Amino acid sequence: MIIKNSAYGEKWGFLDPQVLERTKRKALIFDKVVDKKIVIEDIQLNILRENMGSYNRDLSEENVKINNFLIPCLGRYIPARKYTPNINGNSTKCLVYLHGGGFIGGSIDTVNNQCKLIAERGHCVVISIGYRLAPETPYPGAYLDVVESLEWISNNKAVLEFNDSQIYIAGDSAGGNLAIICGLKNKNNFIRRVISIYGALDMTEKSKTLYKWNYSKYNIAKKHEIYIHTRLNKFALLTKIINVLYTNFEQVENPLISPVYINNFENFPDITLIEAEFDYFLQSNIFFAEKAKALGANVDVVMYKGLDHGFFDRLGFLKQAEDLVNTIVDTMEN
């Protein structure tokens, strides 16, 4: 595991100062709230979508060409955005990026600056896929959109201006979930590596998890406890909402919904898991990493201390978000 220290150096258990101040400005979410049943009539979808992502900055030097296009899938077209670096000839590598948003929000616009910077610093083509969202399109809509889009991308390298026979796939949160699931479709070895950024790898309610999710498994400094619990509880609640809006009454133990239930890693590409110390999904993702390794997969883990779920959204405001871009680029070069 590669450890990325926070402002507190080698200490564990403390929220990054910027994250702490940001959390203090928001309403606290107490542990008992997480145990309440989700009533569909109480879900305010528009508000949920509006609050997803964070304002971020363009850190590129504008040496990237951006084109919107449509990917033909079975009976439909999926919007996509291509980022092409300013280099001579075709790029060698291609990274497909899948945005986060709990399967119910987010878009290619919310990760525009991140994708642009990856393309520039990685000298690679980046393709961001605007898969369909729930509840308008529940499972398996997003999964089918991504899998079919990947197949089209791999068959149209010349059109997309890259020439590597393999592609990289990355995503954050729900996008990390979808990226991992795509590894199951790697029978022709066309995916070189999957990069999951605090992926939502388990949709099981915390009381029913294989690894017995518990607050005690986090090292939490007492003076930060209420704020860390707030960040954890936000995504415990969101997981329950996803189960109502996205899973379409499918069993969440389905590996195509919760990758922690994958039991066969044959032909699986290499995996890099980018994790945050205070991410609700950290416990599921460490469990997944250990299981995947035991079953023969090649898994690397990068841990950002002091941070929470969604920190990549804050590019230009949180230095670790820019560092993550460099980590992704380095991963593609190794």
Side-chain angles (χ1 to χ4, degrees):
M1 180 184 293
I2 297 173
I3 306 294
K4 301 277 190 173
N5 285 334
S6 68
Y8 301 99
E10 296 183 1
K11 292 182 180 178
W12 296 82
F14 295 87
L15 271 176
D16 179 274
Q18 284 185 260
V19 178
L20 179 62
E21 291 307 311
R22 189 170 180 267
T23 306
K24 285 181 176 180
R25 294 194 296 268
K26 298 185 177 183
L28 297 173
I29 304 174
F30 296 99
D31 298 354
K32 61 183 179 181
V33 176
V34 180
D35 296 325
K36 291 184 178 179
K37 184 179 180 180
I38 298 296
V39 179
I40 193 166
E41 290 79 10
D42 293 338
I43 297 174
Q44 297 176 300
L45 182 61
N46 288 342
I47 294 176
L48 279 172
R49 285 175 169 171
E50 288 172 3
N51 290 331
M52 287 181 173
S54 297
Y55 181 72
N56 50 68
R57 291 175 176 159
D58 182 0
L59 300 183
S60 72
E61 298 178 357
E62 304 297 331
N63 293 323
V64 176
K65 182 173 65 175
I66 300 176
N67 296 104
N68 294 317
F69 68 105
L70 295 173
I71 296 177
C73 294
L74 295 175
R76 65 199 185 284
Y77 291 90
I78 302 302
R81 183 170 295 168
K82 181 168 75 104
Y83 303 80
T84 308
N86 185 18
I87 57 177
N88 293 325
N90 284 4
S91 173
T92 300
K93 297 177 181 177
C94 175
L95 172 76
V96 174
Y97 196 90
L98 309 175
H99 68 80
F103 305 99
I104 61 174
S107 70
I108 56 180
D109 291 325
T110 59
V111 293
N112 185 66
N113 290 330
Q114 289 86 342
C115 290
K116 188 177 180 184
L117 193 60
I118 294 169
E120 181 180 80
R121 294 189 178 178
H123 307 293
C124 63
V125 169
V126 175
I127 300 172
S128 183
I129 298 175
Y131 56 86
R132 291 171 295 172
L133 302 176
E136 294 87 349
T137 306
Y139 173 86
Y143 161 70
L144 293 175
D145 289 352
V146 171
V147 169
E148 291 174 28
S149 294
L150 276 179
E151 183 177 357
W152 185 87
I153 290 168
S154 67
N155 289 330
N156 287 273
K157 295 188 288 289
V159 173
L160 296 170
E161 301 177 287
F162 72 93
N163 49 32
D164 200 334
S165 61
Q166 293 178 302
I167 61 177
Y168 296 81
I169 181 166
D172 62 284
S173 193
N177 170 302
L178 293 167
I180 291 290
I181 290 170
C182 286
L184 290 170
K185 297 295 183 179
N186 195 42
K187 292 180 173 57
N188 295 325
N189 197 33
F190 71 97
I191 301 174
R192 177 165 295 176
R193 181 174 290 271
V194 173
I195 304 171
S196 173
I197 303 166
Y198 42 78
L201 302 190
D202 191 7
M203 293 296 103
T204 313
E205 291 188 27
K206 64 185 181 67
S207 62
K208 301 176 182 178
T209 54
L210 292 167
Y211 40 88
K212 303 187 186 312
W213 193 101
N214 197 285
Y215 298 102
S216 65
K217 294 185 178 181
Y218 297 90
N219 187 347
I220 299 175
K222 190 65 178 177
K223 63 181 181 179
H224 287 188
E225 182 176 22
I226 194 168
Y227 305 110
I228 292 170
H229 276 231
T230 289
R231 296 305 297 159
L232 296 173
N233 291 338
K234 176 181 178 179
F235 293 97
L237 278 172
L238 182 58
T239 298
K240 296 176 75 170
I241 292 171
I242 291 169
N243 282 331
V244 173
L245 298 181
Y246 171 66
T247 58
N248 198 25
F249 304 106
E250 287 277 341
Q251 293 293 317
V252 292
E253 294 84 0
N254 179 348
L256 299 181
I257 292 175
S258 298
V260 291
Y261 291 96
I262 296 174
N263 289 315
N264 185 352
F265 288 85
E266 186 179 358
N267 299 318
F268 217 90
D270 294 343
I271 305 167
T272 296
L273 301 180
I274 310 291
E275 304 299 336
E277 183 181 0
F278 302 117
D279 177 26
Y280 168 75
F281 295 104
L282 177 62
Q283 295 182 37
S284 65
N285 299 358
I286 295 301
F287 175 86
F288 172 84
E290 293 172 350
K291 179 181 183 180
K293 287 179 182 178
L295 292 174
N298 181 20
V299 185
D300 298 322
V301 180
V302 180
M303 173 68 72
Y304 281 85
K305 289 163 60 175
L307 298 184
D308 58 343
H309 193 93
F311 76 86
F312 197 34
D313 294 341
R314 290 162 244 163
L315 182 68
F317 295 93
L318 194 66
K319 64 180 183 180
Q320 294 96 325
E322 182 178 359
D323 182 83
L324 177 48
V325 169
N326 296 332
T327 296
I328 293 170
V329 170
D330 291 342
T331 298
M332 294 175 66
E333 291 177 349
N334 293 333

